[in-house]
Amino acid sequence: MAHTLISQSDIAPRGTTDPLVDRYGRTISYLRVSVTDRCDFRCVYCMSEHMSFLPRKEVLSYEEIETIVGAFVRRGVRKVRLTGGEPLVRRDIMQLVDSIGSRIGDGLEELTLTTNGSQLRRHAAGLYQAGVRRLNVSLDTLEHKKFAEVTRRGRLDEVLDGLDAASEAGLKIKINMVAMRGVNDDEIEPMMHWAHGRGYGLTLIEGMPLGETGIDRVDTYLPLRELRERLASRFTLEPSHHKTGGPARYDRVAETGGLLGFITPMSHNFCESCNRVRLTATGQLYMCLGQDSMVDLRAALRDGGPGALDAALDQAMLLKPKGHDFVLDREHAAPALSRHMSVTGG
Ligand code: SAM
Ligand code: SF4
């Protein structure tokens, strides 16, 4: 793990447009930005019931995020995803969405968000106006009581209403569902019919061992390979070349006409094609969701100014690990990393 900045003579000069390529030849074209670690939900696989959140002064200002995003776009990042925590609960979030959105067509190709949907009624039209065209909305169940249990404080009606607002505004939607044995594994087919019936994609995600949350991850872990086999015996799954820049593998389901994605960090290692890095709300750039290597861009920016940023990005490329090494079994029941998903951004 490295916290300090290097000052090599061969690092790129300030304002460089040199592409970001790591030691394994992977080009970084995708930046995920966690705009806040706070959230109005406490999903059982993501947060503990009682979370303590970061002091606000430690969190990057919108100007700082904008400067960092600008440096990344100059160096070849084409896609930015805002996430969190819940991105839409940060005050005046549309300011940031508007300013990053204004880069679309000027280096940036796409700005997207991952959201729990609770604030979508309020923000859907503004997101579209800012240039956002696609959203990932997390939804693990369509049963009201179970939804309240899984999110610990969310209301399903609000999310469903937010989804309607997003469709009305013209936003394309993909539902993200964390598959949990004994929790929602009986709802996967109904969710697929519901989502595809409404023109949404559906992506299933394997639970990852990030941060203590108060649930037993070994009991609820559901390998998606097994699930895909189960689905393949009942539906015609046609492997699709659909790509979103993310790690999901997609099938087209012949019976519904919809796309079904699988994100399988635990049972399938997709690291060799990794094109992304993640910025936390406090400005640490993590090179991998499952490893600790990071560079402190906030320190670079606050202590060295924008010029130090490019040097820090070069250093980051030297640190990007080959891959994660998540393991989940009885002997490794403790979280692989103490960091919650809400810190690094999903
Ligand atoms: N609050 C937003 C939301 O829920 O969509 C954005 C942040 S959330 C951390 C991003 C994604 O990470 C969500 O789809 C969530 O289901 C997923 N997630 C959170 N913790 C996870 C874990 N331990 N394993 C797998 N996925 C997780
Ligand atoms: Fe909040 Fe998203 Fe984590 Fe749920 S998954 S607690 S909505 S950040």
Side-chain angles (χ1 to χ4, degrees):
M1 178 161 36
H3 298 258
T4 49
L5 300 174
I6 50 166
S7 55
Q8 287 170 230
S9 54
D10 61 345
I11 54 174
R14 174 180 178 175
T16 181
T17 55
D18 287 357
L20 296 166
V21 182
D22 77 0
R23 290 173 299 158
Y24 304 98
R26 296 170 297 190
T27 302
I28 303 306
S29 57
Y30 183 178
L31 172 67
R32 293 190 167 216
V33 180
S34 172
V35 299
T36 176
D37 64 326
R38 290 167 198 252
C39 187
D40 49 345
F41 293 0
R42 297 287 183 277
C43 300
V44 290
Y45 48 78
C46 178
M47 294 193 180
S48 64
E49 171 88 62
H50 303 287
M51 291 289 288
S52 36
F53 294 110
L54 297 161
R56 283 181 211 277
K57 68 175 186 326
E58 289 192 19
V59 171
L60 292 178
S61 68
Y62 287 154
E63 289 73 17
E64 287 171 323
I65 295 178
E66 210 346 89
T67 303
I68 292 173
V69 168
F72 271 105
V73 172
R74 217 171 37 242
R75 300 193 63 174
V77 160
R78 297 288 165 256
K79 176 169 171 178
V80 172
R81 176 177 296 280
L82 302 182
T83 176
E86 173 48 43
L88 296 179
V89 301
R90 182 157 170 188
R91 187 179 305 165
D92 298 327
I93 184 64
M94 292 314 290
Q95 257 180 35
L96 182 70
V97 176
D98 283 338
S99 68
I100 299 179
S102 69
R103 293 180 179 276
I104 297 171
D106 186 15
L108 185 66
E109 286 168 11
E110 190 176 33
L111 173 63
T112 56
L113 267 91
T114 302
T115 172
N116 66 23
S118 70
Q119 314 295 314
L120 268 180
R121 169 60 64 189
R122 199 151 56 96
H123 289 305
L127 290 171
Y128 190 88
Q129 272 160 22
V132 176
R133 293 291 177 269
R134 296 192 301 141
L135 291 179
N136 286 359
V137 180
S138 305
L139 183 60
D140 303 315
T141 171
L142 290 168
E143 293 174 17
H144 287 80
K145 188 163 168 284
K146 204 189 286 179
F147 185 87
E149 284 164 9
V150 170
T151 63
R152 292 199 185 104
R153 54 190 69 181
R155 286 192 36 235
L156 179 60
D157 283 338
E158 249 169 33
V159 174
L160 297 179
D161 183 51
L163 282 165
D164 286 341
S167 293
E168 286 155 24
L171 293 160
K172 267 190 86 176
I173 290 163
K174 182 163 75 71
I175 301 293
N176 278 349
M177 176 183 193
V178 176
M180 290 168 277
R181 196 188 293 282
V183 178
N184 62 358
D185 48 347
D186 58 334
E187 273 197 80
I188 285 162
E189 285 182 30
M191 183 69 94
M192 184 178 81
H193 283 295
W194 175 84
H196 289 176
R198 296 174 64 109
Y200 305 158
L202 173 66
T203 295
L204 304 171
I205 307 178
E206 280 175 355
M208 287 173 258
L210 295 169
E212 231 12 290
T213 64
I215 59 157
D216 187 330
R217 288 210 170 90
V218 179
D219 282 353
T220 56
Y221 173 59
L222 180 62
L224 291 188
R225 191 173 303 189
E226 180 188 311
L227 186 67
R228 190 180 178 282
E229 276 166 23
R230 205 169 87 197
L231 288 169
S233 68
R234 302 185 25 87
F235 298 92
T236 317
L237 304 184
E238 299 159 349
S240 154
H241 297 301
H242 180 78
K243 276 264 160 234
T244 58
R249 306 267 161 114
Y250 290 94
D251 288 308
R252 174 77 59 189
V253 183
E255 288 78 2
T256 63
L259 276 177
L260 182 63
F262 296 88
I263 299 186
T264 56
M266 304 302 296
S267 58
H268 176 90
N269 212 310
F270 46 56
C271 305
E272 70 280 358
S273 59
C274 183
N275 58 353
R276 75 205 45 213
V277 289
R278 297 177 148 86
L279 183 68
T280 68
T282 50
Q284 285 74 48
L285 187 72
Y286 279 93
M287 258 51 70
C288 173
L289 187 60
Q291 299 278 7
D292 272 331
S293 21
M294 66 91 167
V295 169
D296 191 346
L297 298 188
R298 184 185 64 183
L301 195 57
R302 290 188 183 172
D303 303 343
L309 204 53
D310 276 312
L313 296 188
D314 287 324
Q315 184 196 16
M317 291 308 103
L318 298 176
L319 289 177
K320 188 165 166 64
K322 196 164 181 194
H324 70 70
D325 27 55
F326 288 136
V327 189
L328 186 61
D329 56 31
R330 280 283 155 219
E331 279 159 46
H332 301 86
L337 293 171
S338 57
R339 210 166 65 226
H340 288 93
M341 186 76 134
S342 53
V343 172
T344 351

